[in-house]
Amino acid sequence: MNKKNAVRSLMFLASLSVTGFALAHGDMTPQAVNTDGLEPLGKEWRDENPYRPPYANNKLAVEIGATAYNQNCARCHGLEAKSGGIAPDLRELEAGAEGDEWFKERVINGAVRDGAVYMPKMADFISQEGLWAIRSYLESVHVE
Ligand code: HEC
């Protein structure tokens, strides 16, 4: 490969990764989540995931959460929660009550750094039920 071609392919690679980033951060509006079959929770936020076992419908919560995750979170946090590196790998979020606290804090407040929105306030678009379903899904794929 001569020098000119080498430079060209480098530029091509660079443009690819820029596009990847733009796509990953595309500002699609988050989708409301259908949580029929899960216990309604009302307006007041719980401190802990109410759908964690021994909750009888945990399996349904995980299923709903998997779909809702792929529609609303995957474009930044990666398909199946395996982060491609742009946003944290959510499989590594701590299990149990401590992870719940951090999860709740992030989905309610989003993430803003130097005035730039890195993560929208997901709780403005998705119900508490939908978000705890996503948390249930994330715990089902948890890794240390
Ligand atoms: C537009 C991109 C984007 C979307 C969409 C998004 N996030 Fe995030 N999220 C981020 C970024 C970037 C961070 C890291 C923020 C930081 O480090 O300040 C983050 C951080 C988090 C954290 C904290 C993780 C940690 O290890 O500290 C949680 C929890 C989280 N997101 C959950 C979600 C959930 C659940 C959804 C979907 C309902 C979602 N995010 C959708 C970009 C996004």
Side-chain angles (χ1 to χ4, degrees):
M1 198 191 289
N2 66 32
K3 211 169 171 187
K4 205 163 154 201
N5 278 343
V7 168
R8 249 198 223 133
S9 43
L10 270 181
M11 280 169 61
F12 177 68
L13 281 178
S15 73
L16 269 187
S17 52
V18 168
T19 319
F21 192 76
L23 283 177
H25 279 242
D27 46 22
M28 297 153 60
T29 308
Q31 304 286 306
V33 176
N34 180 346
T35 55
D36 289 353
L38 298 179
E39 185 203 338
L41 302 173
K43 284 246 175 288
E44 187 106 349
W45 266 85
R46 306 287 172 95
D47 287 327
E48 284 189 36
N49 182 3
Y51 303 143
R52 174 178 297 129
Y55 178 68
N57 261 351
N58 171 261
K59 243 184 110 182
L60 177 66
V62 170
E63 266 171 45
I64 291 174
T67 306
Y69 172 89
N70 282 320
Q71 284 173 341
N72 295 294
C73 321
R75 70 179 187 277
C76 295
H77 289 281
L79 279 174
E80 296 175 354
K82 293 172 190 157
S83 169
I86 293 169
D89 190 319
L90 296 181
R91 293 172 304 165
E92 292 170 11
L93 207 62
E94 238 175 293
E98 256 164 70
D100 288 353
E101 199 183 326
W102 192 221
F103 178 86
K104 176 180 155 182
E105 145 77 24
R106 275 304 190 208
V107 296
I108 293 176
N109 298 314
V112 179
R113 263 191 265 153
D114 301 328
V117 176
Y118 280 76
M119 173 173 153
K121 297 178 179 176
M122 302 308 288
D124 289 357
F125 305 96
I126 304 173
S127 65
Q128 173 176 194
E129 289 84 353
L131 286 164
W132 285 127
I134 292 173
R135 169 67 176 151
S136 303
Y137 161 66
L138 290 173
E139 275 200 291
S140 78
V141 294
H142 175 76
V143 294
E144 288 301 327

